[in-house]
Amino acid sequence: MNQETSYIPETIEKKWQKYWEEKGIFKNYSRDEKFYVLDMFPYPSGEGLHVGHPKGYIATDVVARYQQLRGKSVLHPMGWDAFGLPAENYALKNKLHPRISVEKNIKRFKSQLEAIGCTYDWDREIDTTDPDYYRWTQWIFLKLFEKGLAYESHEPINWCPSCKTGLANEDLENGKCERCGSDIEQKPMRQWVLKMTEYAERLLRDLDSEDLDWETSIVEQQKNWIGRSEGAEVDFGVKGSDVNIRVFTTRVDTIFGCTYVVVAPEHVILETLQENISNSSEVAQYIADANKKTNLERTELQKEKTGVKLEGVEVINPFTGETVPIFVADYVLGNYGTGAVMAVPAHDERDFEFAKKYTLPIRRSIVALSQCDHQGEIDECYADDGILIDSGEYTGLSSEEAREKMVSWLEEGNLGKKKINYKMRDWVFSRQRYWGEPIPIIHCESCGAVAVPEDELPLRLPEVESYEPTGTGEGPLSLVTDWVNATCPICGSLAKRETNTMPQWAGSSWYYLAYIMKECVGVSLNNAKDLFEKWTPVDLYVGGQEHATRHLLYARFWHKFLFDIGIVPTKEPFKKLMHVGLINAQDGRKMSKRWNNVINPDEMIMRFGADALRLYEMFMGPFSQAIAWNTEGVSGVRRFLDKVWKLGMRTIASENSSQVRIHEPVEGKNTEVLFHKTIRKVAEDIEAFKFNTAVSSLMILVNSIEKRKTLRVEEYKTFLVLLSPFAPHISEELWERFGETQSIFLAAWPAHDESKLHDEDNTIVVQVNGKLRDTFVAPVDISEEEMRRCALESENVRKHIAGKEMKKVVIVKGKLVSIVM
Ligand code: ANZ
Ligand code: ZN
């Protein structure tokens, strides 16, 4: 054999990457069973990948290769989420047109991914900024518009003064711009909004359906974001007028304890009642001050609550007929519920604090079951459900019963109704920025907002001289006069194009369908039903926790809409979802240019090889947990691969020599059991995302093989198949050197032999007077004598027999030692 005999990753990795690509080894799309494995696609930032980024990509690649070995058609595509603020801010900073920097960055990302040996089908590569791609993003928008789910609104929205654009609620982090950290202002402006709330109930309900197999932590985050809240709306009439203040409460059962009503500074009633409010200038001042605060500043629990009483006006509690005062206070938000609350200080923390501060009456109307006769001063609020007291005909009912009865009474008297609220808002869908999909709408003076005709899609993003944000509330597109001026598709008169663009999250809301469409040339979103039948839902979706709310919510919303209009056959897009734990730097901090602790995968590949990098990232710890990088770990894994290589070469040599292979019965049996256990374990672990333990069981197997003097070729080759999803290049190379002429990835995943799994060891149970006191592990052929000795040596057993007389010891061989005292 005149092939290189030492392990040089550099040469074999390039060779096999080229081979897989050229032979299309991973493009078997006509097998019976399908498996669609998807990565959250990256936005190609200028910094390239650091070693933390590929962790998820390696995991999906392991799964893709494994499923291929399992005989499935595996779809494993990749693409680029290249519109939006990150790409645009990078381009602005580096004074490059976003298109140029995006192209450059994509190239770099792609070559990094290729060097890791990912199986992506690059024929299906997508780029959200490609007009052939975004024509369908625009098409979906038009469908939403057609169905009344996209509308224009003039409500105040989140405005980032530094990014100079409006933002959705999902784009805020603790009340600040998630991109640049600036404080967010509320700014009234015209914007496009998608009616996501219309899907709130389904987005929530389907989280519990069988179509979904997600980690509970992410399901919880979705649920919290949707924030379903069941309660009632109740009208409090303003005394001496026919005006009502409608409040939203989840605790109508506490209404007999309501001692005042609070309205948000934005509430219209403040205008309506202005003439009647005797301290209106004080109120006006308070409203002006509140306007300067962010929502976060207003609602933070720790912040001291402020407010002003409206002098000269009062409202009537519909249940008691009693009049109570009205306050304006900014801890009540204008855009939640009705913007007004009934305050029950005895049972609500915020109201309690407010009442203490302004010495308002605190009246208890609910008690815990155990304290029905509790009296005296109220020095803390009781926020749980309980039993009603001092509540007229409802006294003695449980909170739950009372809520039901009270709501019926309200509905009968037309004084209120049952109401479900969601924290989730409609999706603010326009950005006053350049680098996004143009919204395909034309504004006509007589026809209003009119859809761009479908056959004019894609509506291309025009070239501009200056793509910097204007800050005027109009996007940079408004400066491109030629483009802005259009004719109305309905009446033909002069009209103007919409100049806002779509948010970054538009393109990523349907991209998993675009990969599927690429299977055939000429397929469009609205005639791809067969392909979607074949491939949806995505079987496994892997990505970062940071997308647990926003992206997943948006994509699920669009998917459900596409389901409703008959485009896709499933209710949910992603069957199983796993999140990647972060890789931090060796110093425990976040890997960042700022801390100068970034490790580049290219460098690791150069030093140790791609297989070592892959294996290390899968081995370093539980997949979903954050963990610190350790370069020594990579070199340890590299030593393991060196060993694999050496053993492989030795096995090949022994096969080629005519030397008789001696079978060593004892060790041979041990390894055989271990061997079948490993086959089973690696498969189970890959399916359960326990890559670290899969790798460690491969290491244990190799150590055991190493101890033997001779190796069986078939065993070694089976081991290579088990290793191949993790370390594909070295496995493929050795496979070839064993004389195989077809790719290892066209082989079949080995089946373990159940009959060979019988343990060499048994677990033996020790009882004292019939109670379990200890267990120990012993070889199957342990003698009764030995069992007795081990049992009596156990510390816990000794504790239970100390100072007592032993009557007898019953032994069931290989199973049980029972001591009777
Ligand atoms: C009276 C009451 C008594 C309340 C009690 C709670 C406990 P979630 O679960 O968040 O929906 N609320 C209603 N609208 C509000 C607004 N715009 N800004 C601030 N707070 C508002 O909570 C609903 C509860 O939050 C409502 O129920 C209301 O206070 C308050 F013992 O009404 B409750
Ligand atoms: Zn018109």
Side-chain angles (χ1 to χ4, degrees):
M1 212 181 271
N2 56 6
Q3 265 173 315
E4 187 63 61
T5 51
S6 47
Y7 172 43
I8 303 169
E10 214 183 312
T11 48
I12 64 171
E13 287 175 358
K14 295 251 161 56
K15 165 181 158 193
W16 290 111
Q17 283 161 12
K18 200 160 155 245
Y19 173 87
W20 296 325
E21 178 66 31
E22 281 174 5
K23 301 267 169 173
I25 298 296
F26 296 98
K27 295 177 196 167
N28 295 299
Y29 296 130
S30 51
R31 295 172 169 187
D32 287 345
E33 217 182 321
K34 67 98 180 176
F35 195 88
Y36 186 177
V37 48
L38 180 70
D39 296 284
M40 289 187 186
F41 65 159
Y43 73 85
S45 80
E47 264 125 69
L49 297 171
H50 68 54
V51 286
H53 297 122
K55 184 171 158 191
Y57 306 146
I58 295 170
T60 53
D61 196 62
V62 168
V63 173
R65 289 173 188 268
Y66 166 78
Q67 294 292 359
Q68 154 123 341
L69 287 160
R70 282 270 176 192
K72 297 185 189 167
S73 285
V74 179
L75 177 54
H76 187 212
M78 184 44 99
W80 316 102
D81 188 13
F83 264 142
L85 280 180
E88 183 174 333
N89 284 347
Y90 175 83
L92 280 172
K93 201 173 115 200
N94 293 283
K95 305 234 173 303
L96 272 173
H97 190 285
R99 179 162 296 113
I100 296 175
S101 60
V102 158
E103 265 167 29
K104 191 171 134 233
N105 297 345
I106 286 178
K107 245 195 207 131
R108 169 141 168 73
F109 263 67
K110 196 169 166 182
S111 77
Q112 284 188 301
L113 289 176
E114 281 172 335
I116 295 167
C118 291
T119 53
Y120 298 125
D121 178 352
W122 291 112
D123 294 345
R124 298 182 189 242
E125 179 178 0
I126 53 158
D127 166 358
T128 55
T129 68
D130 178 352
D132 282 338
Y133 180 92
Y134 67 68
R135 73 180 307 147
W136 297 111
T137 315
Q138 291 173 330
W139 186 86
I140 296 171
F141 177 86
L142 288 182
K143 287 289 150 192
L144 287 159
F145 179 64
E146 190 183 307
K147 304 284 173 198
L149 291 165
Y151 63 96
E152 281 180 282
S153 152
H154 295 264
E155 299 281 294
I157 58 157
N158 306 304
W159 171 261
C160 173
S162 156
C163 293
K164 298 190 174 112
T165 183
L167 296 171
N169 272 7
E170 287 83 4
D171 297 325
L172 311 190
E173 218 171 74
N174 299 325
K176 293 180 192 301
C177 171
E178 153 278 339
R179 278 281 132 223
C180 70
S182 308
D183 281 334
I184 291 303
E185 296 164 5
Q186 294 299 309
K187 185 165 167 167
M189 56 191 287
R190 185 190 65 87
Q191 78 239 232
W192 283 95
V193 182
L194 302 187
K195 239 186 220 163
M196 190 156 65
T197 49
E198 192 143 317
Y199 282 74
E201 194 57 38
R202 283 162 67 188
L203 287 168
L204 184 75
R205 185 176 11 104
D206 290 348
L207 286 170
D208 294 322
S209 83
E210 273 175 21
D211 301 336
L212 226 89
D213 172 17
W214 290 16
E215 285 168 276
T216 39
S217 69
I218 295 183
V219 168
E220 280 313 303
Q221 284 182 64
Q222 290 263 304
K223 286 187 176 171
N224 289 338
W225 189 265
I226 297 166
R228 183 182 197 273
S229 177
E230 202 174 311
E233 286 182 352
V234 186
D235 287 335
F236 281 65
V238 175
K239 200 176 166 186
S241 86
D242 53 5
V243 185
N244 281 328
I245 296 182
R246 173 162 277 216
V247 305
F248 171 67
T249 177
T250 48
R251 294 295 306 276
V252 67
D253 54 308
T254 64
I255 199 162
F256 283 79
C258 166
T259 51
Y260 55 97
V261 160
V262 191
V263 299
E266 297 83 359
H267 203 290
V268 289
I269 199 84
L270 295 167
E271 237 169 80
T272 323
L273 296 180
Q274 203 176 2
E275 312 256 285
N276 312 37
I277 301 173
S278 55
N279 59 338
S280 57
S281 61
E282 189 189 355
V283 170
Q285 183 59 49
Y286 183 80
I287 296 171
D289 290 344
N291 274 340
K292 290 190 205 122
K293 294 193 198 167
T294 65
N295 266 0
L296 185 75
E297 281 170 334
R298 286 173 48 169
T299 51
E300 239 177 351
L301 275 177
Q302 301 89 313
K303 283 268 160 68
E304 190 171 315
K305 315 249 161 326
T306 60
V308 172
K309 187 173 168 193
L310 309 185
E311 303 291 351
V313 286
E314 280 178 318
V315 282
I316 301 165
N317 181 331
F319 279 86
T320 62
E322 194 181 12
T323 48
V324 293
I326 312 168
F327 281 80
V328 53
D330 63 12
Y331 76 90
V332 174
L333 297 176
N335 60 1
Y336 183 65
T338 58
V341 309
M342 62 177 221
V344 187
H347 304 297
D348 180 277
E349 208 57 68
R350 293 160 299 181
D351 300 342
F352 181 75
E353 204 188 306
F354 192 82
K356 279 272 178 192
K357 182 168 169 188
Y358 295 98
T359 47
L360 296 159
I362 301 174
R363 187 188 306 155
R364 187 185 288 135
S365 63
I366 306 281
V367 288
L369 203 47
S370 58
Q371 334 175 297
C372 274
D373 49 12
H374 185 89
Q375 291 291 321
E377 193 179 332
I378 302 172
D379 49 14
E380 71 185 3
C381 95
Y382 173 76
D384 284 345
D385 276 6
I387 303 292
L388 274 70
I389 57 165
D390 300 332
S391 297
E393 59 183 288
Y394 303 96
T395 302
L397 294 182
S398 72
S399 288
E400 211 178 309
E401 289 167 330
R403 283 195 287 269
E404 210 168 289
K405 291 223 157 82
M406 288 170 149
V407 167
S408 307
W409 182 81
L410 284 169
E411 284 176 348
E412 271 161 34
N414 211 11
L415 296 162
K417 59 172 195 212
K418 183 179 162 139
K419 172 81 188 180
I420 292 161
N421 271 328
Y422 299 91
K423 292 270 149 49
M424 188 180 88
R425 307 274 82 160
D426 280 341
W427 179 6
V428 173
F429 197 69
S430 42
R431 298 291 178 273
Q432 293 69 48
R433 299 287 300 230
Y434 171 65
W435 194 234
E437 301 87 346
I439 293 178
I441 290 286
I442 290 171
H443 296 279
C444 166
E445 265 181 29
S446 40
C447 310
V450 179
V452 167
E454 258 177 53
D455 61 12
E456 286 178 26
L457 299 185
L459 173 61
R460 284 168 192 270
L461 186 61
E463 288 302 324
V464 293
E465 264 160 44
S466 156
Y467 49 84
E468 318 225 347
T470 62
T472 59
E474 290 289 328
L477 292 186
S478 61
L479 306 174
V480 194
T481 329
D482 284 0
W483 185 83
V484 172
N485 290 331
T487 49
C488 170
I490 296 176
C491 72
S493 57
L494 276 178
K496 291 204 182 306
R497 286 191 192 282
E498 171 63 55
T499 58
N500 284 335
T501 52
M502 297 187 194
Q504 187 191 352
W505 307 93
S508 57
S509 294
W510 71 280
Y511 74 109
Y512 56 95
L513 298 173
Y515 294 130
I516 298 175
M517 285 159 62
K518 289 240 172 170
E519 185 152 321
C520 303
V521 184
V523 167
S524 47
L525 188 64
N526 51 354
N527 71 10
K529 192 109 198 212
D530 289 347
L531 287 175
F532 294 151
E533 287 279 357
K534 173 175 171 188
W535 288 112
T536 58
V538 170
D539 295 276
L540 172 67
Y541 194 21
V542 178
Q545 178 108 47
E546 71 275 16
H547 296 304
T549 46
R550 192 164 23 178
H551 159 61
L552 290 172
L553 208 57
Y554 294 154
R556 292 180 62 223
F557 163 41
W558 276 31
H559 190 90
K560 286 182 184 307
F561 172 69
L562 292 174
F563 173 80
D564 289 351
I565 62 170
I567 302 288
V568 293
T570 63
K571 288 189 178 152
E572 284 288 332
F574 315 120
K575 171 109 187 85
K576 187 178 168 89
L577 179 80
M578 293 301 295
H579 88 267
V580 196
L582 277 183
I583 293 183
N584 289 319
Q586 205 145 347
D587 59 14
R589 283 197 284 208
K590 220 179 138 159
M591 230 176 246
S592 153
K593 249 190 174 166
R594 185 153 131 229
W595 306 118
N596 198 24
N597 58 8
V598 173
I599 304 235
N600 188 313
D602 307 335
E603 187 206 327
M604 291 296 117
I605 291 173
M606 215 158 67
R607 284 173 61 188
F608 305 106
D611 281 337
L613 175 73
R614 294 169 60 108
L615 204 58
Y616 172 67
E617 294 210 3
M618 294 299 93
F619 180 55
M620 63 192 299
F623 181 73
S624 296
Q625 279 174 26
I627 193 151
W629 182 262
N630 181 358
T631 302
E632 261 162 50
V634 193
S635 89
V637 163
R638 169 60 195 266
R639 282 195 298 278
F640 164 72
L641 290 175
D642 285 330
K643 196 189 291 180
V644 167
W645 181 269
K646 252 190 3 227
L647 277 175
M649 300 312 269
R650 218 169 88 194
T651 312
I652 291 165
S654 76
E655 185 191 35
N656 291 342
S657 72
S658 53
Q659 178 195 334
V660 181
R661 291 196 292 279
I662 312 150
H663 185 59
E664 292 143 275
V666 178
E667 273 185 48
K669 177 100 200 313
N670 276 335
T671 310
E672 194 176 38
V673 172
L674 185 62
F675 192 72
H676 286 275
K677 274 189 175 171
T678 310
I679 295 176
R680 186 179 60 179
K681 179 141 181 68
V682 172
E684 280 175 1
D685 282 356
I686 291 176
E687 295 195 16
F689 260 64
K690 293 183 186 161
F691 304 110
N692 55 332
T693 53
V695 174
S696 82
S697 63
L698 288 170
M699 290 174 169
I700 292 168
L701 180 65
V702 166
N703 285 338
S704 150
I705 293 176
E706 199 188 15
K707 284 195 205 111
R708 276 161 48 180
K709 298 211 181 63
T710 56
L711 290 165
R712 276 178 243 149
V713 171
E714 283 317 310
E715 271 182 12
Y716 195 84
K717 281 168 69 182
T718 303
F719 160 75
L720 285 180
V721 178
L722 301 183
L723 178 69
S724 67
F726 297 93
H729 310 87
I730 190 174
S731 312
E732 187 80 280
E733 177 72 22
L734 288 170
W735 185 255
E736 186 191 48
R737 292 190 186 207
F738 272 107
E740 292 287 344
T741 52
Q742 257 204 334
S743 168
I744 190 169
F745 296 101
L746 298 174
W749 187 261
H752 67 269
D753 181 344
E754 200 68 41
S755 72
K756 299 242 164 80
L757 278 178
H758 291 300
D759 253 319
E760 295 295 278
D761 295 328
N762 279 335
T763 300
I764 292 172
V765 170
V766 189
Q767 294 179 340
V768 179
N769 287 344
K771 287 214 174 83
L772 173 71
R773 293 304 179 193
D774 205 358
T775 60
F776 62 90
V777 176
V780 261
D781 52 356
I782 186 172
S783 68
E784 293 194 9
E785 204 41 44
E786 190 71 351
M787 279 175 75
R788 185 191 165 97
R789 194 179 59 77
C790 291
L792 293 174
E793 266 174 13
S794 152
E795 220 165 283
N796 199 38
V797 170
R798 277 205 304 221
K799 220 168 61 199
H800 285 92
I801 60 177
K804 291 181 209 151
E805 191 193 335
M806 200 184 311
K807 289 221 179 92
K808 67 176 179 197
V809 179
V810 181
I811 292 180
V812 181
K813 205 167 175 240
K815 289 209 169 97
L816 172 81
V817 181
S818 175
I819 304 166
V820 183
M821 307 303 295

